[in-house]
Amino acid sequence: MALRHAVLAALLDGESSGYQLAKAFDLGVANFWHALPQQLYLELAKLEKAGLVEGRQVVQQTRPPKRLFTITDEGLRELARFAETSAKPSFIRDDLMVKVQAADNAPVGPVVEQLDERAAMAAAKTDIFERFLRRLRGDLDEETFLATADRVGPYLTCLRGLRFEQETADWCARTAAVLRARQPRPAEGGPRRRDA
C-alpha cells in the first residue's frame, strides 16, 4: 500500500485540511499506517496534481489562509482499484522483540524495563482507542452501530488498533513477568545477577 491510499481513505470522512488530516492520522490511521505531517502535505500536493483530490483555499480572519482537500471521483475510482488488488501479508519488525529473543544471553533488567514501558504505552493507547470508539458510535451499542452506521471502516480499523494494543500490553506484561521470574537469585555472598 502506498501512502496515497491511506490519505485517500482518510479523506472519505469529508473535506479536511492538512493539519486535520495529520490529527486524523495520529488518532485513527496511525494504527495501521504511520506518516509524518511533512509526508502528508507532500502527498496531498501529489494527489492534487494527479487529480485524485481537489484543494481549495480558505481565507481566515485571524490566521493565515488554509487549504481544504476533498477526494475527487477519480480518487474514489483509485481507491476502488486499490481495494480490488491483493493485500500483502503484514509482518512485524520490532527491535524490542529482538532484545527478548536475545534475553537468555544478555542483561535482562533493561529489557524488562523496556517491556514495562511498552506495556504502559499500549495501555494508554488502548484508553485512547476506547474513547474514540465510544465517540464514533455515540449512544449506540457496538452491534447496532456496526449494523446501521453510514460508515464503519474507521470504526473497524480502530477496533483492530485497540486489539493490537491490548495484545501488546498483555504480551509485554507476561514476557516481563517470565523474564523476572527466571532471574537467578543471588546466594548469600554469592555472585550478583547478570542485570545488576
Side-chain angles (χ1 to χ4, degrees), residues 2-174:
L3 176 58
R4 70 176 13 207
H5 299 114
V7 171
L8 290 172
L11 286 172
L12 290 172
D13 289 325
E15 189 175 53
S16 179
S17 69
Y19 175 78
Q20 291 167 320
L21 195 63
K23 296 302 268 182
F25 262 69
D26 271 352
L27 185 56
V29 180
N31 80 80
F32 60 89
W33 193 268
H34 175 74
L36 298 171
Q38 309 89 292
Q39 292 172 301
L40 293 174
Y41 286 106
L42 182 60
E43 193 60 40
L44 282 168
K46 289 179 188 175
L47 290 169
E48 187 173 22
K49 188 174 182 181
L52 302 177
V53 303
E54 189 175 78
R56 69 180 179 95
Q57 191 88 355
V58 175
V59 178
Q60 303 181 100
Q61 292 288 342
T62 59
R63 295 183 179 159
K66 68 178 177 180
R67 289 191 56 73
L68 295 176
F69 297 90
T70 54
I71 190 168
T72 64
D73 289 342
E74 185 55 36
L76 290 171
R77 285 190 287 276
E78 173 61 23
L79 268 181
R81 283 190 292 273
F82 173 70
E84 292 172 355
T85 62
S86 295
K88 295 178 184 173
S90 60
F91 59 90
I92 298 173
R93 273 177 57 173
D94 187 337
D95 62 342
L96 183 54
M97 292 188 77
V98 175
K99 294 174 183 185
V100 170
Q101 175 81 13
D104 296 314
N105 297 302
V108 174
V111 177
V112 169
E113 287 175 19
Q114 292 171 61
L115 286 162
D116 291 340
E117 289 170 12
R118 181 77 61 88
M121 287 175 19
K125 287 182 181 179
T126 295
D127 290 341
I128 291 168
F129 278 124
E130 287 173 341
R131 284 195 307 270
F132 185 62
L133 289 166
R134 279 194 301 272
R135 193 174 80 210
L136 284 176
R137 70 178 179 263
D139 294 334
L140 301 176
D141 65 78
E142 186 168 272
E143 292 310 313
T144 303
F145 175 81
L146 291 173
T148 62
D150 291 336
R151 279 183 32 84
V152 296
Y155 193 91
L156 292 170
T157 56
C158 283
L159 268 182
R160 177 65 185 113
L162 172 65
R163 300 245 165 74
F164 174 81
E165 296 301 342
Q166 289 169 332
E167 290 167 5
T168 297
D170 292 346
W171 179 82
C172 287
R174 183 170 198 290

